[in-house]
Amino acid sequence: MLVGASNARGETAGPARAACPADLAGQAACYTGRDSGGAYYAIAVPADWNGSLVVHAHGGPDLGAESDPTRSLDDLGRWSVMVKEGYAWAGSSYRRGGYGTRMAAADIESVRRLFTEEFGTPRRTYVHGQSWGGNVAAKVVETYGKRKGAYDGALLTNGVLAGGSRGYDYRVDLRVVYQYYCRNHPRPNEPRYPLWQGLRADSTMTTAGLRARLQECTGYASAPEERTALQQRNLDDILAVTKVPERTLESHLRWATFTFRDIVHHRLGGRNPFGNRGVRYSGSHDDEALNAGVERFSPDPTAVRDLSYDSDLTGKVSIPVLTLRAIDDPTAFVEHESAYRDTLRGAGRSGRLVQTFTREHEHSEMSDAEYATSLAALDHWVRTDERPTARSIAASCAAFDRTYATGCFYDPAFHPSPYASRVEPRPGGLRWPAMTAAQERAWSRIEGVGIAP
């Protein structure tokens, strides 16, 4: 099927042979290129190709201005298990850095089309998304995954499935609670700006500079016995109020700083999509003082609309969707699964969803045996129309672990608590989906709605 692959795609050259990641050397033919939209991509076709394709949506978003030529190759190495299982693999680095869920979904569809034009139509096509890529892949499902359409099924792993208008509320809370206790982001002698901006547009702060301020206030990088009493109390209060795990406090604060700046200044023209009025913060040593002193703000309705249109999910899915989630995911909390479950339930599509959970503790990577198990379960569901259960999937993992020896950690009895149990809801925040299909249709008729590609 590789013979005679075209070398021309409009203004761009077709896929060029490239060295595979070390884990796939001698097992697959790998290709790289750049599509007509400017997105770099990577493709792998195993020597024993089963005829089906996995299209991968990466997490992030990365904040560089341009498409990253190395990102998709790195992701191919991380998820080489899918190629080892016999699937061709294609991943896009997206046409630019920065936020843009619909843009990223369009780039995923672009690399799928490119693969089909170059290597033929696969028997079946699955979209896989990890982290923010789970949000992107879920948007691919709703936009391009119609019945008998481009995609046959979806695998969403540790995905940001609450969408953009609600999925970052806990980082909004972190941003304001951190500033209440630390008062160094910004410092009193620095230009002030509303905290919903994350950071001034022209700020030269670096990630190292942010870490230094976090260390100054909380001593988070020091052993407990090396912290001052004030640092320890600040750290305890921030963690207790926001429910952010200590081991990912710095990364969440980075998101609430640099990614918020990208969303507000670069994607929404300076408008505010975030709010915290009415939120009652609790768990500190003095909740009354905290609630009286924390910065409050309300969102711009048009900014909420544009962020929602770009990244929220309607639940209108027509193909099987399987999720895999670490119960102790410290970055995209397990309660995102409740938000997604309620979104599909609200759309009357819960029969298209099976959710699985594992007793793992990392966000960015899980057991290869579980990825292989999940992909096989999804493929069987699509081929036979027999919907699996969390128990049947867990029971099938041992056979794959004999190959990968990375462990099976499924907990088929686990059910996550509601999203509002982890993240204080804003007005209307208890209703799912966050964006209905009717809203999506109405907003789509507004010129310039959403986030520009």
Side-chain angles (χ1 to χ4, degrees), residues 36-37 50 58 60 78 85 97 104 128 142 230 253 284 299 317 345 426 451:
S36 59
N50 63 17
H58 77 67
R78 261 169 90 185
E85 285 299 301
H128 167 240
E142 295 186 0
L230 179 58
L253 189 59
S284 72
V317 303
R345 183 179 294 161
R426 276 56 175 170
I451 289 175

Side-chain angles (χ1 to χ4, degrees), residues 229-240:
L230 179 58
Q231 284 177 326
Q232 187 64 61
R233 192 177 77 172
N234 287 342
L235 182 61
D236 290 344
D237 280 341
I238 291 168
L239 298 178

Side-chain angles (χ1 to χ4, degrees), residues 175-183 286 289-290 292-295:
R175 189 69 181 83
V176 299
V177 170
Y178 175 87
Q179 182 64 6
Y180 171 79
Y181 288 112
C182 299
R183 304 191 188 282
D286 189 342
L290 170 62
V294 75
E295 184 173 319

Side-chain angles (χ1 to χ4, degrees), residues 184-236:
N184 67 3
H185 187 27
R187 299 184 189 279
N189 62 346
E190 293 176 328
R192 296 193 60 79
Y193 54 89
L195 297 180
W196 49 261
Q197 292 184 358
L199 195 62
R200 294 189 341 267
D202 60 350
S203 173
T204 59
M205 177 182 282
T206 63
T207 55
L210 180 62
R211 286 195 296 270
R213 296 188 187 209
L214 178 59
Q215 172 67 11
E216 171 191 297
C217 176
T218 68
Y220 82 105
S222 301
E225 62 272 14
E226 296 174 354
R227 299 169 187 152
T228 68
L230 179 58
Q231 284 177 326
Q232 187 64 61
R233 192 177 77 172
N234 287 342
L235 182 61
D236 290 344

Side-chain angles (χ1 to χ4, degrees), residues 70-82:
T70 66
R71 178 62 195 254
S72 290
L73 272 174
D74 291 343
D75 285 343
L76 173 57
R78 261 169 90 185
W79 283 281
S80 61
V81 59
M82 297 180 177

Side-chain angles (χ1 to χ4, degrees), residues 244-447:
V244 169
E246 183 173 349
R247 62 193 172 111
T248 51
L249 174 60
E250 185 266 335
S251 63
H252 283 292
L253 189 59
R254 271 192 284 113
W255 266 82
T257 299
F258 300 106
T259 304
F260 279 17
R261 176 172 66 175
D262 176 77
I263 292 172
V264 169
H265 291 295
H266 297 160
R267 312 302 159 201
L268 294 175
R271 292 172 295 147
N272 173 26
F274 305 122
N276 69 336
R277 291 200 187 277
V279 173
R280 173 71 185 175
Y281 296 107
S282 61
S284 72
H285 76 279
D286 189 342
D287 289 348
E288 184 175 350
L290 170 62
N291 282 282
V294 75
E295 184 173 319
R296 304 278 182 176
F297 39 81
S298 298
D300 178 329
T302 66
V304 176
R305 177 202 66 199
D306 286 356
L307 183 58
S308 180
Y309 180 76
D310 181 75
S311 59
D312 283 344
L313 303 168
T314 67
K316 286 283 193 176
V317 303
S318 302
I319 60 176
V321 179
L322 176 64
T323 69
L324 174 66
R325 171 77 61 169
I327 295 171
D328 191 29
D329 183 340
T331 299
F333 306 144
V334 69
E335 289 81 8
H336 276 269
E337 294 293 332
S338 296
Y340 195 55
R341 176 198 63 207
D342 292 343
T343 294
L344 268 65
R345 183 179 294 161
R349 303 296 176 93
S350 56
R352 288 291 176 183
L353 176 67
V354 172
Q355 295 174 298
T356 61
F357 301 90
T358 74
R359 297 181 301 276
E360 290 175 276
H361 309 282
E362 298 303 324
H363 170 70
S364 297
E365 194 169 350
M366 291 186 285
S367 163
D368 277 357
E370 292 168 353
Y371 285 121
T373 299
S374 298
L375 198 51
L378 177 63
D379 184 61
H380 182 79
W381 184 6
V382 168
R383 287 187 291 103
T384 66
D385 206 29
E386 296 175 4
R387 185 171 180 261
T389 66
R391 291 194 180 279
S392 69
I393 293 172
S396 66
C397 184
F400 292 96
D401 199 41
R402 285 194 286 272
T403 297
Y404 295 104
T406 54
C408 297
F409 308 98
Y410 286 99
D411 184 347
F414 180 81
H415 295 282
S417 298
Y419 189 71
S421 69
R422 185 71 176 257
V423 183
E424 185 69 25
R426 276 56 175 170
L430 294 175
R431 295 191 302 271
W432 298 93
M435 174 181 65
T436 65
Q439 283 176 316
E440 183 181 42
R441 287 193 299 271
W443 289 344
S444 70
R445 294 190 286 268
I446 300 172
E447 185 177 356

Side-chain angles (χ1 to χ4, degrees), residues 1-247:
M1 297 183 73
L2 300 180
V3 176
S6 169
N7 284 324
R9 285 187 47 77
E11 298 178 358
T12 59
R17 284 296 294 263
C20 289
D23 210 23
L24 292 175
Q27 301 180 52
C30 294
Y31 304 82
T32 58
R34 195 174 195 182
D35 71 16
S36 59
Y40 289 100
Y41 61 84
I43 290 172
V45 181
D48 58 348
W49 186 23
N50 63 17
S52 293
L53 169 68
V54 174
V55 187
H56 172 76
H58 77 67
D62 301 331
L63 296 182
E66 303 294 332
S67 182
D68 180 358
T70 66
R71 178 62 195 254
S72 290
L73 272 174
D74 291 343
D75 285 343
L76 173 57
R78 261 169 90 185
W79 283 281
S80 61
V81 59
M82 297 180 177
V83 181
K84 293 175 182 177
E85 285 299 301
Y87 293 85
W89 188 97
S92 171
S93 294
Y94 312 146
R95 72 192 73 176
R96 62 157 171 78
Y99 204 84
T101 309
R102 285 182 182 269
M103 173 206 73
D107 291 340
I108 293 302
E109 171 62 3
S110 172
V111 76
R112 183 201 67 81
R113 289 174 180 267
L114 187 148
F115 180 94
T116 297
E117 292 171 11
E118 297 290 340
F119 305 120
T121 301
R123 291 194 186 102
R124 285 170 290 276
T125 300
Y126 303 116
V127 60
H128 167 240
Q130 175 96 6
S131 188
W132 179 62
N135 189 195
V136 173
K139 185 66 76 174
V140 168
V141 169
E142 295 186 0
T143 306
Y144 306 103
K146 310 302 182 185
R147 188 184 298 274
K148 297 182 180 178
Y151 299 87
D152 298 284
L155 174 61
L156 312 178
T157 56
N158 283 352
V160 180
L161 300 178
S165 73
R166 298 179 188 174
Y168 304 124
D169 281 344
Y170 61 94
R171 288 175 177 148
V172 174
D173 295 337
L174 173 61
R175 189 69 181 83
V176 299
V177 170
Y178 175 87
Q179 182 64 6
Y180 171 79
Y181 288 112
C182 299
R183 304 191 188 282
N184 67 3
H185 187 27
R187 299 184 189 279
N189 62 346
E190 293 176 328
R192 296 193 60 79
Y193 54 89
L195 297 180
W196 49 261
Q197 292 184 358
L199 195 62
R200 294 189 341 267
D202 60 350
S203 173
T204 59
M205 177 182 282
T206 63
T207 55
L210 180 62
R211 286 195 296 270
R213 296 188 187 209
L214 178 59
Q215 172 67 11
E216 171 191 297
C217 176
T218 68
Y220 82 105
S222 301
E225 62 272 14
E226 296 174 354
R227 299 169 187 152
T228 68
L230 179 58
Q231 284 177 326
Q232 187 64 61
R233 192 177 77 172
N234 287 342
L235 182 61
D236 290 344
D237 280 341
I238 291 168
L239 298 178
V241 173
T242 64
K243 302 184 180 71
V244 169
E246 183 173 349
R247 62 193 172 111

